[in-house]
Amino acid sequence: MAIVGRYAARRGLQFVPVFFGTTFLVYFLMFALPGDPLANLSVGKQANPAYLAYLQEQFNLDDPFFVQYLKYLGGIFTGDLGQTFRGQSVAEIFVERFPVTLKLALTAFVFEALLGVGIGVWAALRKGRFIDNLSLAGSLILISIPVFVLGYVAQWLFGVKLGWFPVAGISAGWPMAYILPAIVLAALSLAYVLRLTRQSLLETLNSDFIRTARAKGLPPWTILRKYGLRNSLIPVVTFLGADLAALMGGAVVIEGIFNVPGIGQQLYSSIRLGEAVVVVGLVTALVIIYLLVNLLVDLLYGVLDPRIRYE
Amino acid sequence: MFTKARKKFTIGGVALASALLLGSCSSSGTDTDASSSPSAVSGGTYSIAIEDPQTIVPTDCYELYCQQVLSATYTGLFTFEAGESGAYEVTPSELTNSVETTDDGKNWEITLNPGFTFTNDEKVTASTFVDTWNYTANGGNGQQLGFVFSPSYLNVVGYEDVSGPKTTGETMSGLAVAKDDDLTIEVTLEKALSPEIFQNFLAGPQIMPMPTVGLKDPKAFDKQLIGNGPYMMAEPRTGQEIKVVKNPDYAGTAGLADGVDFRVYENKQTMWADLQGDNLDLIPDLPNNALSSASSVLGDRYVNDPGALSYSFYGFASDSKTFKEKDVRIAISKAINWSEINEKIWFDTRSTATSFAPDTIPGGGTDLCGDKCVFDATAAKSLLDGAGGLPGGSVEIGVIASDSKDTQTAACNQLQTNLGIKCSLKTFSGFGEYLDFLSSGDAPDNFIYALGWVADHPTIQAMITIFESSNFANDIQYSNAEVDRLIAEGNVASDPTTQQQKWVEAEQLILEDFYAYPYQMRNTVAGWSNRIDNVVVNPLGMINIPKISVTEQS
C-alpha cells in the first residue's frame, strides 16, 4: 500500500508541469486569436472610450503577453481565478456549471460502460450469430455518424416528434432531461467500448488458461466472470477512464444542441468572446480532472490484475 | 454582412394582423381594446427564448437579450409605440408626467408621476434617476451605457468630469433634482437638442432606474434584479433561466400573464426544436434553420414583417482607386439581384432596400435610391463599360464565416457573371477580427465593405449616423460636410416635419454620393406557440411582454 501511495504522490508531482504547460499554452492560444476581444464585446456604433479604458485596465489587455500571463498566474496563487468581462468570477461559473456537466458526463458514462461492456460481452459469447453481427453493424453506423447529426436527429425524433424526452434544457431535472443528451454523447464511445470488449474477450476466451479451466469442469459463468472478464477488461477500463474526462470536454456540441448549461456552453461562448481567463481556467480544470481520472485508472489496474506493480 | 452594432441581431416590425383581428371580435357598439377582448385573459406563465445575456444590470445592458428582461422588470421613462401612420415614435411611459424644455432645448425638466416604487419599497423619484445616471456615466464603474451622456449623444454638462478612467468627479453638474419638487429631474446639455431627439436619446438605449442597493452592489444585482416594473424576479437567475412573476404592487397597468420565463439558449437552432416540441412559447427572432418552414408550421402564429431597424450595406472606401468612378459603384449595385437572394437564401425574411430608413420610422419608407438600387444586369454592364471598366478587374468582399457567407457568395457570383469581373470573399472568423482588419488600414484598394447597422431608436438620424464623418463606426471614412450639417440641423429642429426633411436630405446626399448603399433590410421574424396571444414585436425587436396573454392554461 505504501508503494501505491508513493506511486500516487509521484504521479501527483507530474501535475505541476502539466498545470503550467496547459495554462501557458491555452493562454497563448487565446492571446493569438485574431481580433481584439473588446471589439467582440463592446464596440458598437458609439465606442465609449471610458468603457474601453476601464476594460483595458481591468483585464490587463494593454500589457504584453508575458506580463498578462504572469499577472494571471499571480491571481491564481492568491485565489483569484479571474472573471468574465462582465464581472462573473470563474470560480462561480465553475461551481454553477460543473455539476451540470458532471451529471451529463456520468450519465453518459453509465450508458457507455453498461451498454458497451454488456453488449460487447453478449456479442463475444454469440460470435458470428445474429446479435454479434447486429452489434458490429450498429457500432459501425454510430462511429461513422457525426455527433451533431446524431444529436439533431435524436432531438427531432425523440423530443419533437415522439415527445418521449424533453426537447432541450434541464428544467425537467435528472434523469429525464439528461437521458437523451447523455445517450448521444455516449454513442460514439459506446461503439468503441463495445468493439473493444468483444475483441478483447474473444482473445481471452481463446487462450490456454480458459481451455484449462473448461477442462477442469468449471461452470461457464465462473469462467467468464473470474477468468474471462477480469483478464479482458484492462484495455476497456483504460479506454473508459480516459473517456470519462473526454466526455466532459467533449460535451461542447451536445450541450449546445440540447441547451444544457454546463462547462461546454461556457467554453464556447468564452472562446467566441475572447475571454482568455475563463477559457484557461476551465480548460485547466478539465485537464486536472483528466489527470486525476487517469491516475485512478492506473491504480485500478492493480485490482484487475495483481501482477501489475507500481514502481 | 455583419452587424456593426453592439446588438448581435435585431428584429422588429409590427404584428398589426393580430391587433386588427382582435378589434373585429367585438360586434357590439361598445368601445373595445386589446385588454378587454375575449382572448386577453390574465394568468398563466409563458416562456420567451433569449440568448445568454452577459449581464442584466440596467446600466450595463446594451444588447437585446437583457433589454427584453429589463422591459418586463422595469418601467423606464419612455416606450416606443406605433402612431397612426404605423411608424414607431418615442412615447412617455406611465411613469413620466411631462418632458419640457425650459428654453430652446438646452435645459430640460422631466417630471415623474408619483406612486412608483421598487419591489424593495424604495420610491422612484428624480434622485433615483440622477443617481443611476451619474453611476452609469462614471468611468470608474465601467458601465456600457455611459456613452448616452457623452458628446456624441446627449452631451450632458459635466460628462468629462466623471467619464475618464482617472477622473475623480462623482456627479455631472448637468443633472439635478428640482429644488422644490423631488419628482422633477433637471438636465442641462452642452448643445441644444430637439424634443424628439432628446427623448429618443433617453429612450434607446434606455437606462432603467436602479434602486440604491443596486448601485451599491451591482454584482448581487446581476443575480437578482430589484425593479419597478410589471414583473419582478422572485428568484436569482441561473445559466438556464430568468424567471419573473407579476409584481403585486405595480403602480402602472399590470401584466396579463402571471409570469414569464426567459429561457436562455446558447445555440439558436435549439430554440426552433423546442418551439415545435411545445416546450417553448415565443421566439422573438427566428433562427435561420426555422426560416424555410416557419410559415407552414406556425400558420398565423408567425410574423414576417419588413421594417426592423437594421440594414446591410456595401461601402466603398472614399480613397479607393478601384471604385473612384461613381458609375463603377452603381454598376456593382445594379449587377446583384438582391430580391432573388432574399427569396432563395432568406426565404423572403429580408427585404430589398430602397433607402436607409424603413416606413416604421417617422419620415422613413420613401424610395430614395431609385434606379441605382434596381437590378438590371445589362444596364450594369454597360455602365461599367461606359466608365472604362473596373480598374484591376477584381473586387474582394469582406464576410464573417459564421454569418452571411451564403449571401455574399451569391452576390460575388452575380458580380462575376453579370459584370465579367473577378470577385473573391475575404473571410473572417468573427466580428472582432473583421473590425481589427477594418481599422488596421490593411483593406486592399478593391475591398467592398459588407457591413450591417442596427439603430437604437426609431429616427432616420439613428439609421444614418454611421455616415457622419465623426462617427467611430464610419469605417469607409465617408465624409460629406453637407451631410454632417443636415443631420446636425435635424437634431435641433424643433418642428418634426422640418427635422425629418433635413434627415431625408442627408440620406439623399449619401445615396447621391453612393459610397455606401443599403442592399437588404431586416424583417421582424417571430414565431410563437398556440398557448399565447397578442404578440407584438416592435422594429427594435422588443416584445410587448405585459400585454401577451396565455390562452391555454394548464
Side-chain angles (χ1 to χ4, degrees):
Chain A
M1 213 53 220
I3 296 176
V4 176
R6 218 161 60 210
Y7 173 77
R10 214 174 54 217
R11 285 285 299 268
L13 274 183
Q14 292 177 359
F15 285 20
V16 177
V18 171
F19 169 79
F20 282 104
T22 316
T23 50
F24 181 81
L25 202 66
V26 179
Y27 207 102
F28 177 74
L29 288 174
M30 288 303 292
F31 187 83
L33 273 186
D36 178 359
L38 293 185
N40 276 323
L41 181 76
S42 66
V43 176
K45 40 217 134 156
Q46 307 287 340
N48 178 5
Y51 181 63
L52 292 183
Y54 173 85
L55 288 176
Q56 294 269 8
E57 183 156 329
Q58 282 280 306
F59 294 93
N60 310 315
L61 294 172
D62 270 347
D63 294 333
F65 169 67
F66 275 102
V67 178
Q68 277 193 34
Y69 176 64
L70 288 177
K71 280 185 179 171
Y72 171 70
L73 279 187
I76 286 187
F77 289 120
T78 52
D80 174 16
L81 291 181
Q83 51 182 346
T84 65
F85 285 135
R86 298 299 177 66
Q88 204 186 4
S89 79
V90 174
E92 218 172 275
I93 291 175
F94 198 77
V95 170
E96 185 185 314
R97 290 179 174 260
F98 183 70
V100 177
T101 298
L102 190 68
K103 249 191 260 180
L104 178 63
L106 285 179
T107 315
F109 186 74
V110 168
F111 280 117
E112 175 184 345
L114 287 186
L115 291 179
V117 174
I119 302 177
V121 170
W122 192 11
L125 294 178
R126 298 272 185 283
K127 181 168 180 276
R129 309 263 282 276
F130 175 71
I131 182 67
D132 187 28
N133 290 329
L134 182 71
S135 70
L136 283 182
S139 59
L140 191 68
I141 292 173
L142 284 185
I143 289 171
S144 53
I145 298 179
V147 66
F148 69 92
V149 173
L150 202 62
Y152 282 120
V153 170
Q155 180 178 56
W156 181 81
L157 188 63
F158 298 110
V160 177
K161 281 290 147 188
L162 298 172
W164 293 354
F165 298 101
V167 178
I170 56 164
S171 48
W174 194 87
M176 271 322 266
Y178 286 87
I179 291 178
L180 202 54
I183 291 180
V184 174
L185 180 59
L188 179 65
S189 312
L190 191 153
Y192 283 123
V193 170
L194 190 158
R195 296 189 146 220
L196 203 59
T197 309
R198 176 186 174 275
Q199 196 55 36
S200 179
L201 186 60
L202 278 179
E203 267 169 37
T204 315
L205 290 179
N206 280 331
S207 55
D208 292 346
F209 64 88
I210 298 279
R211 206 179 316 138
T212 310
R214 273 203 196 111
K216 283 162 89 181
L218 284 178
W221 173 243
T222 311
I223 295 176
L224 176 67
R225 194 166 48 90
K226 280 200 162 170
Y227 303 99
L229 277 183
R230 202 157 162 179
N231 279 294
S232 57
L233 277 187
I234 287 192
V236 178
V237 169
T238 311
F239 181 83
L240 282 174
D243 205 49
L244 175 60
L247 284 178
M248 279 189 248
V252 176
V253 176
I254 299 298
E255 287 185 2
I257 295 173
F258 289 98
N259 204 32
V260 177
I263 297 278
Q265 273 200 357
Q266 182 69 45
L267 267 180
Y268 177 73
S269 78
S270 288
I271 290 173
R272 220 179 34 192
L273 286 174
E275 287 174 330
V277 171
V278 184
V279 177
V280 177
L282 296 183
V283 169
T284 307
L286 285 177
V287 168
I288 287 177
I289 290 169
Y290 190 84
L291 291 174
L292 280 174
V293 173
N294 267 324
L295 176 59
L296 209 67
V297 168
D298 285 357
L299 295 177
L300 211 59
Y301 285 164
V303 180
L304 286 170
D305 186 348
R307 285 171 301 178
I308 291 176
R309 299 257 180 276
Y310 301 106
E311 276 154 21
Chain B
M1 195 289 296
F2 79 102
T3 295
K4 180 90 196 171
R6 176 68 194 93
K7 294 171 197 169
K8 287 171 204 137
F9 68 98
T10 194
I11 46 183
V14 201
L16 283 173
S18 67
L20 292 173
L21 213 72
L22 289 169
S24 64
C25 287
S26 61
S27 51
S28 66
T30 53
D31 280 357
T32 182
D33 59 21
S35 63
S36 65
S37 76
S39 61
V41 286
S42 62
T45 299
Y46 64 95
S47 52
I48 299 174
I50 57 172
E51 287 184 61
D52 193 12
Q54 296 284 317
T55 177
I56 50 174
V57 175
T59 53
D60 205 16
C61 161
Y62 191 29
E63 58 183 22
L64 200 53
Y65 323 121
C66 56
Q67 282 170 355
Q68 305 279 22
V69 176
L70 294 181
S71 76
T73 48
Y74 284 88
T75 297
L77 292 175
F78 301 100
T79 61
F80 295 116
E81 304 290 340
E84 278 170 21
S85 65
Y88 273 74
E89 285 165 36
V90 62
T91 313
S93 73
E94 287 178 313
L95 173 61
T96 308
N97 185 292
S98 64
V99 181
E100 278 158 7
T101 174
T102 48
D103 52 10
D104 48 358
K106 264 189 174 179
N107 289 289
W108 293 86
E109 281 188 2
I110 305 165
T111 307
L112 308 176
N113 283 323
F116 279 82
T117 57
F118 290 102
T119 49
N120 66 353
D121 291 337
E122 184 180 327
K123 281 189 174 149
V124 180
T125 63
S127 63
T128 311
F129 279 93
V130 171
D131 291 348
T132 304
W133 291 349
N134 276 322
Y135 174 83
T136 314
N138 196 313
N141 296 328
Q143 299 301 297
Q144 278 214 82
L145 294 186
F147 71 84
V148 166
F149 308 98
S150 72
S152 54
Y153 236 69
L154 277 174
N155 204 0
V156 171
V157 172
Y159 174 75
E160 274 75 16
D161 302 333
V162 300
S163 62
K166 298 278 187 286
T167 47
T168 51
E170 289 287 322
T171 55
M172 291 180 277
S173 54
L175 290 183
V177 178
K179 279 197 185 68
D180 50 347
D181 180 6
D182 68 352
L183 288 174
T184 300
I185 313 159
E186 295 177 342
V187 185
T188 313
L189 309 178
E190 293 279 2
K191 283 187 195 137
L193 290 177
S194 81
E196 280 75 22
I197 273 293
F198 178 74
Q199 297 181 61
N200 269 300
F201 278 172
L202 274 176
Q206 178 152 218
I207 302 171
M208 297 298 185
M210 270 171 62
T212 323
V213 54
L215 298 174
K216 280 200 182 115
D217 188 358
K219 272 198 179 169
F221 213 64
D222 193 27
K223 290 260 169 284
Q224 188 168 2
L225 297 167
I226 296 167
N228 67 335
Y231 291 94
M232 60 185 203
M233 271 176 87
E235 50 192 279
R237 73 155 156 156
T238 66
Q240 173 91 356
E241 238 169 6
I242 298 170
K243 286 186 168 192
V244 300
V245 296
K246 218 167 178 170
N247 173 3
D249 303 321
Y250 182 56
T253 310
L256 286 173
D258 285 339
V260 183
D261 293 349
F262 295 93
R263 196 86 50 80
V264 175
Y265 291 83
E266 192 68 50
N267 180 337
K268 287 194 77 181
Q269 298 198 31
T270 305
M271 296 176 183
W272 179 230
D274 238 1
L275 182 72
Q276 287 177 285
D278 284 331
N279 195 25
L280 170 73
D281 291 317
L282 171 57
I283 307 177
D285 178 49
L286 285 176
N288 290 351
N289 64 331
L291 299 181
S292 60
S293 59
S295 70
S296 58
V297 172
L298 297 174
D300 59 357
R301 294 178 282 119
Y302 164 76
V303 287
N304 175 18
D305 294 339
L309 303 192
S310 174
Y311 57 83
S312 308
F313 68 95
Y314 274 168
F316 307 96
S318 47
D319 58 356
S320 161
K321 293 183 190 70
T322 314
F323 305 116
K324 194 165 183 290
E325 292 297 327
K326 186 171 160 188
D327 279 354
V328 170
R329 308 194 291 270
I330 297 175
I332 286 173
S333 168
K334 290 183 73 67
I336 304 172
N337 187 348
W338 286 109
S339 62
E340 187 186 37
I341 291 175
N342 288 335
E343 184 197 326
K344 297 272 163 62
I345 295 176
W346 293 100
F347 303 98
D348 284 324
T349 58
R350 304 227 170 163
S351 309
T352 309
T354 54
S355 76
F356 290 103
D359 60 4
T360 47
I361 289 178
T366 322
D367 180 352
L368 300 175
C369 192
D371 187 54
K372 295 197 286 279
C373 289
V374 176
F375 169 67
D376 186 340
T378 326
K381 180 75 178 126
S382 54
L383 264 177
L384 187 70
D385 292 343
L390 182 78
S394 73
V395 297
E396 203 170 3
I397 303 178
V399 62
I400 294 176
S402 58
D403 203 351
S404 300
K405 185 130 196 195
D406 292 351
T407 308
Q408 299 306 341
T409 307
C412 224
N413 286 337
Q414 298 202 8
L415 287 181
Q416 306 212 84
T417 315
N418 296 338
L419 293 181
I421 59 175
K422 274 194 187 139
C423 175
S424 57
L425 297 181
K426 182 152 184 65
T427 310
F428 298 91
S429 65
F431 191 62
E433 193 194 355
Y434 196 4
L435 281 191
D436 266 7
F437 175 79
L438 296 183
S439 54
S440 68
D442 290 342
D445 193 70
N446 64 348
F447 191 74
I448 299 181
Y449 294 68
L451 296 164
W453 183 251
V454 184
D456 279 334
H457 40 79
T459 63
I460 298 173
Q461 183 267 355
M463 300 301 281
I464 57 173
T465 180
I466 180 179
F467 301 112
E468 284 184 273
S469 44
S470 62
N471 194 297
F472 179 87
N474 186 347
D475 288 302
I476 57 169
Q477 296 185 350
Y478 172 73
S479 175
N480 183 335
E482 191 70 359
V483 170
D484 293 349
R485 185 182 63 79
L486 284 165
I487 294 177
E489 279 178 15
N491 288 353
V492 297
S494 53
D495 159 42
T497 318
T498 322
Q499 178 169 55
Q500 287 159 21
Q501 250 166 23
K502 297 270 185 195
W503 288 337
V504 168
E505 276 175 51
E507 217 183 331
Q508 276 169 325
L509 274 182
I510 298 167
L511 288 170
E512 188 56 46
D513 288 341
F514 218 69
Y515 281 102
Y517 71 95
Y519 59 78
Q520 195 181 51
M521 311 295 287
R522 285 249 182 170
N523 289 8
T524 302
V525 189
W528 55 92
S529 73
N530 51 21
R531 289 184 66 241
I532 58 172
D533 208 349
N534 302 339
V535 179
V536 177
V537 184
N538 80 13
L540 289 148
M542 300 295 292
I543 314 160
N544 62 336
I545 292 170
K547 289 180 183 156
I548 292 177
S549 64
V550 182
T551 51
E552 177 197 297
Q553 292 169 21
S554 45

